[in-house]
Amino acid sequence: PGTDFDACVDAADITLSGFSPTGGTWSGTGITNATGVFAPSGAGVGSHVLSYSVSNAKCTTTETITATVNGLPNVVAGTYGPICLGDDVTFNATGATTYSWSPATGLSNAAINNPVASPTATTTYTVTGTDDNGCVNTDQTTLTIEPVPTADFTAESVCIGDTMFFVNGSSPTTGVSYQWDFGNGQFSTASDPSNLYLNPGDFDLELIVVWGNCSDSFTSTVTVNPRPSTSFLATPEQTTAIEPLI
């Protein structure tokens, strides 16, 4: 009646045609109409023998073909992130031969299994994978993008023994934590700290602001000045009874 064929399990019903002599009937797993309609989804994955029988007044002739139903590839997009805004992550989809990602926004190459993703907002990606049999399946992954804080501060120069006060200009101001390194072996986690420098010089001060999984740092040099030295010389004068005061 014809040649063997294969189909993906999710393919539409297939009409078996072009067989001779005409007028026969079909039977077998997946046959939904004896005139020759085969449903891959109804047959299920595997090889199925389909019989075509033609009868006349004296005898019946039966021939067979094999329908192979292929399963869908097990496409796995993977799980990633969250990542901070401005960072990237490499995807690694598996289970197929060729791949296509959608949307392509923020991807280095939407036609490979392992593009580098660096979107500017949380994005759900769908990967479509095709195997060697031409069967297709999809999977999704959501990459969450977390905001990054901005670290900033100001401070004025002081002299040895004076307290230096720091004005925190970072943002946001809530939900964050601070890590101050004053450059002299002293540290703080306060929002607007102060520090006493006991030695003169220039000190590299760093502020790290942490917000969720993301952070930012700001470094500035502060100056501690030595105190000026003062001296005087007194020259005594003779006093007399007439001028007892100098």
Side-chain angles (χ1 to χ4, degrees), residues 192-217:
D192 295 281
S194 61
N195 189 53
L196 181 64
Y197 289 91
L198 301 178
N199 296 298
D202 293 330
F203 297 86
D204 292 329
L205 189 149
E206 182 182 34
L207 168 62
I208 300 175
V209 181
V210 180
W211 189 18
N213 295 307
C214 304
S215 64
D216 186 37
S217 63

Side-chain angles (χ1 to χ4, degrees), residues 79-237:
T79 302
Y80 313 93
I83 64 172
C84 300
L85 180 64
D87 291 346
D88 59 55
V89 64
T90 300
F91 287 167
N92 186 29
T94 58
T97 304
T98 62
Y99 300 86
S100 176
W101 294 85
S102 178
T105 305
L107 300 181
S108 61
N109 187 338
I112 60 177
N113 75 306
N114 58 345
V116 176
S118 55
T120 58
T122 296
T123 305
T124 297
Y125 290 97
T126 299
V127 60
T128 301
T130 305
D131 65 13
D132 291 335
N133 295 315
C135 298
V136 179
N137 208 351
T138 63
D139 194 25
Q140 288 186 328
T141 186
T142 298
L143 182 58
T144 300
I145 306 301
E146 295 188 348
V148 177
T150 300
D152 188 39
F153 68 86
T154 57
E156 295 184 357
S157 299
V158 296
C159 295
I160 294 176
D162 290 341
T163 298
M164 181 178 290
F165 294 92
F166 302 94
V167 179
N168 193 339
S170 305
S171 63
T173 57
T174 59
V176 298
S177 62
Y178 304 102
Q179 301 170 13
W180 296 84
D181 182 347
F182 297 120
N184 67 339
Q186 301 297 314
F187 305 90
S188 176
T189 57
S191 174
D192 295 281
S194 61
N195 189 53
L196 181 64
Y197 289 91
L198 301 178
N199 296 298
D202 293 330
F203 297 86
D204 292 329
L205 189 149
E206 182 182 34
L207 168 62
I208 300 175
V209 181
V210 180
W211 189 18
N213 295 307
C214 304
S215 64
D216 186 37
S217 63
F218 178 74
T219 301
S220 181
T221 301
V222 296
T223 300
V224 178
N225 299 304
R227 290 189 178 278
S229 59
T230 59
S231 63
F232 64 91
L233 177 63
T235 302
E237 296 183 3

Side-chain angles (χ1 to χ4, degrees), residues 5-17 19 26-51 65-70:
F5 67 92
D6 64 283
C8 299
V9 70
D10 63 342
D13 289 356
I14 298 170
T15 299
L16 306 175
S17 60
F19 303 104
W26 287 91
S27 62
T29 303
I31 294 296
T32 60
N33 189 313
T35 60
V37 177
F38 176 75
S41 60
V45 175
S47 295
H48 307 283
V49 176
L50 307 181
S51 299
I65 63 172
T66 299
T68 300
V69 178
N70 299 308

